[in-house]
């Protein structure tokens, strides 16, 4: 007799999921992760790469990403000592997902803009 495949329940979005996704998919985190996937950068290198981010926002973003294991903060033995931020092994697992979101948003932006225009006309 054939076994009936066990259907796994769909994952539920919990408070922990929402918190993590909020922290790694926010406005600045996506840009920081995108740049760090290309190369390690020091704080001021990130500031130059993302000129619209404030120092306070970038500091908070890097701390959040480091706390969640997405970014490594490495002290470089130079004179004077320097700190470099690198994408972690865990953070690198996001690269394909982030790239897919960017491709999706680029491809669907015309449809989104039309939907927004229709909505605004009716509002």
């Amino acid at each position: 007799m054939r076994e009936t495949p066990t259907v796994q329940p769909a994952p539920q979005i919990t408070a922990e999921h929402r918190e993590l996704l909020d922290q790694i998919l926010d406005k600045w985190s996506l840009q920081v992760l995108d740049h760090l996937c290309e190369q390690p950068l020091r704080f001021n290198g990130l500031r130059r790469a993302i000129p619209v981010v404030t120092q306070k926002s970038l500091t908070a973003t890097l701390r959040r990403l480091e706390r969640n294991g997405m970014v490594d903060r490495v002290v470089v033995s130079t004179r004077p000592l320097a700190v470099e931020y690198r994408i972690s092994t865990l953070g690198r697992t996001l690269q394909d997902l982030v790239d897919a979101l960017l491709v999706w948003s680029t491809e669907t932006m015309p449809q989104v803009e039309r939907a927004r225009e229709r909505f605004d006309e009716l509002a």
Side-chain angles (χ1 to χ4, degrees):
M1 186 171 193
R2 294 168 111 191
E3 278 189 43
T4 307
T6 312
V7 177
Q8 296 293 329
Q12 298 297 307
I13 298 175
T14 65
E16 291 84 10
H17 290 111
R18 282 193 311 274
E19 179 185 19
L20 176 61
L21 292 172
D22 284 347
Q23 290 181 4
I24 61 172
L25 296 176
D26 74 353
K27 177 179 180 177
W28 302 123
S29 294
L30 281 175
Q31 292 183 55
V32 167
L33 291 168
D34 187 44
H35 286 291
L36 293 180
C37 278
E38 293 175 17
Q39 65 181 350
L41 290 167
R42 292 167 63 174
F43 186 87
N44 285 329
L46 281 166
R47 288 275 320 263
R48 283 189 294 278
I50 312 168
V52 293
V53 68
T54 64
Q55 182 172 341
K56 181 179 177 181
S57 292
L58 183 56
T59 299
T61 298
L62 287 167
R63 285 186 182 160
R64 240 186 349 265
L65 290 171
E66 185 181 5
R67 180 174 182 262
N68 285 303
M70 304 300 140
V71 167
D72 292 326
R73 182 180 182 272
V74 179
V75 177
V76 181
S77 298
T78 59
R79 292 205 175 201
L81 288 177
V83 173
E84 190 173 75
Y85 294 93
R86 299 176 182 173
I87 194 79
S88 68
T89 303
L90 181 59
R92 179 106 22 225
T93 65
L94 287 171
Q95 189 169 10
D96 290 341
L97 298 170
V98 170
D99 289 346
L101 283 172
L102 291 173
V103 167
W104 173 84
S105 62
T106 300
E107 290 174 351
T108 60
M109 189 54 69
Q111 296 170 31
V112 170
E113 288 172 353
R114 286 192 300 274
R116 288 175 177 170
E117 289 169 5
R118 283 192 306 272
F119 181 88
D120 291 345
E121 286 173 3
L122 297 173

